[in-house]
Amino acid sequence: MKHALISIVIPCYNEETNISAVYAALEKVTGKIRRYDFEYVYVDNGSLDATRDEIRKLVKKDSRIRGIFLSRNFGPESSNQAGFDYAKGDALIWYACDMQEPADVLPEFLRKWEEGFDKVVGVYTKSEDPWFMKILRTSFYNVMKVIANVDIPVNNSGFGLYSRKVVDAMKSLPEKYRFQRGIRSWVGFSTAMVTYHRHERKFGRSSYSLLSYFQHAERSVFGFSYLPLDMLIYSGLLLVICSFVFIVGYTSFFFLFGNPIKGAVTILVAIVFFGGINLLALSIIGKYIQVIVEETKARPTYIVETMIGT
């Protein structure tokens, strides 16, 4: 009897020390699950170390492993998308190569899928990340929960299970400026949450800098929220009303008591204040225009250099 196929997508960038360790950790769990077949899809996002060599070794060792090598580093969302595009399974599990998510949660994901849920989202209740990163991540998700036009769960990293219906729905979206967790929420479908303890990284070092985190957060804000534009509209309206009241009040005061305000400092402050607001408004509008430009270019989100394995 043919079993359903589960694809485990493992995006990686400069993770030579983790490739074999990830495989071993996943095999320890999946080897006990006999009711499904598994495939492992490693997506290398232009690594500069020996990551590709390690993947090639595994492909020779296990025919269920495939390697997808991108022609350069296209950013983390691109490797995620490539994994979604090339996974063959009836369901897909996204698993980061840094091994901060516990592999032993996978059976619970599968049980939730068997219960009829199309998406199973991993949400960590405890994290061993540095305190600054924990505060930064939690703050980001709490802000997004308020401003986003979709419900993005707090404290999730993309770790979870996606049914074939969800995978096909996410693949069908043509946008290039992608944020996987936002798209996952946008497509809908029945969703279950599974909590877990997020570990610290044991091998290697993260390729993410603080700037990278802010750039990734920027994708989510400008991809799934119009609040910055709404704030500009309402702030502009409020400033117009206040300016009108000030002009009327100042004019009345001038005719009754003479010029009450003297000196260039007041004028300078007003110029700096309104100039700063205009610059901020143009910057926000410019960011949305950047998203539009990226979409109209219609470039692919990634280019595959080569694939190995079946």
Side-chain angles (χ1 to χ4, degrees):
M1 180 178 177
K2 186 177 181 181
H3 296 156
L5 177 65
I6 307 298
S7 298
I8 302 179
V9 172
I10 310 160
C12 43
Y13 175 69
N14 291 346
E15 295 283 3
E16 62 182 0
T17 56
N18 282 330
I19 299 300
S20 295
V22 166
Y23 172 71
L26 291 172
E27 268 292 277
K28 184 178 180 181
V29 174
T30 60
K32 300 175 183 178
I33 304 173
R34 303 298 183 185
R35 63 189 185 277
Y36 295 114
D37 293 326
F38 292 89
E39 70 164 356
Y40 303 96
V41 184
Y42 283 88
V43 183
D44 178 70
N45 204 347
S47 292
L48 303 176
D49 60 1
T51 296
R52 295 191 177 190
D53 293 333
E54 293 298 318
I55 295 173
R56 289 188 180 98
K57 291 178 184 177
L58 286 181
V59 170
K60 293 178 180 179
K61 177 181 178 181
D62 191 334
S63 61
R64 298 172 302 165
I65 297 175
R66 288 189 290 148
I68 300 172
F69 300 156
L70 305 189
S71 61
R72 67 171 177 83
N73 187 292
F74 289 89
E77 292 296 337
S78 299
S79 52
N80 296 339
Q81 184 63 28
F84 275 65
D85 288 343
Y86 286 94
K88 301 175 182 178
D90 301 289
L92 178 153
I93 294 175
W94 186 93
Y95 187 82
C97 200
D98 57 19
M99 297 184 67
Q100 290 190 259
E101 277 71 33
D104 54 15
V105 180
L106 269 61
E108 182 63 21
F109 286 172
L110 292 169
R111 280 193 289 270
K112 291 295 183 182
W113 180 50
E114 290 164 0
E115 291 173 11
F117 292 98
D118 287 304
K119 292 185 302 186
V120 186
V121 179
V123 177
Y124 56 88
T125 55
K126 185 178 179 181
S127 172
E128 296 178 7
D129 288 330
W131 66 270
F132 176 72
M133 292 308 303
K134 286 193 284 190
I135 293 174
L136 196 64
R137 284 197 179 99
T138 302
S139 300
F140 162 72
Y141 283 114
N142 285 325
V143 169
M144 282 302 298
K145 199 166 187 66
V146 174
I147 70 173
N149 52 28
V150 293
D151 183 19
I152 300 175
V154 175
N155 291 341
N156 77 100
S157 63
F159 180 45
L161 180 145
Y162 307 73
S163 71
R164 174 49 58 181
K165 285 193 297 185
V166 175
V167 172
D168 289 342
M170 293 176 67
K171 286 168 56 178
S172 70
L173 301 182
E175 61 196 77
K176 312 300 179 185
Y177 199 81
R178 303 181 77 86
F179 178 60
Q180 177 188 322
R181 277 157 277 177
I183 293 174
R184 178 186 63 191
S185 296
W186 187 90
V187 297
F189 297 103
S190 57
T191 304
M193 304 288 183
V194 172
T195 58
Y196 67 94
H197 176 187
R198 181 179 169 89
H199 303 302
E200 65 178 346
R201 174 187 276 268
K202 292 183 179 179
F203 307 109
R205 56 182 299 180
S206 174
S207 58
Y208 258 55
S209 64
L210 188 60
L211 178 61
S212 300
Y213 282 109
F214 280 110
Q215 290 174 337
H216 203 58
E218 185 181 284
R219 276 181 172 266
S220 62
V221 172
F222 293 105
F224 289 92
S225 177
Y226 297 113
L227 185 62
L229 289 177
D230 293 338
M231 289 176 63
L232 285 180
I233 294 171
Y234 297 129
S235 298
L237 181 61
L238 180 62
L239 283 173
V240 168
I241 294 173
C242 291
S243 299
F244 179 76
V245 172
F246 174 78
I247 291 170
V248 172
Y250 178 81
T251 304
S252 301
F253 203 93
F254 175 79
F255 284 113
L256 291 174
F257 305 104
N259 185 10
I261 302 176
K262 297 181 180 180
V265 175
T266 306
I267 297 174
L268 180 62
V269 169
I271 291 173
V272 171
F273 176 70
F274 286 103
I277 290 177
N278 285 330
L279 183 60
L280 176 62
L282 287 173
S283 299
I284 292 174
I285 294 171
K287 276 296 177 183
Y288 281 102
I289 293 174
Q290 177 188 356
V291 175
I292 295 171
V293 170
E294 289 297 319
E295 296 297 334
T296 54
K297 284 179 182 177
R299 292 174 182 169
T301 55
Y302 62 88
I303 294 174
V304 174
E305 180 179 324
T306 185
M307 291 188 293
I308 58 175
T310 55

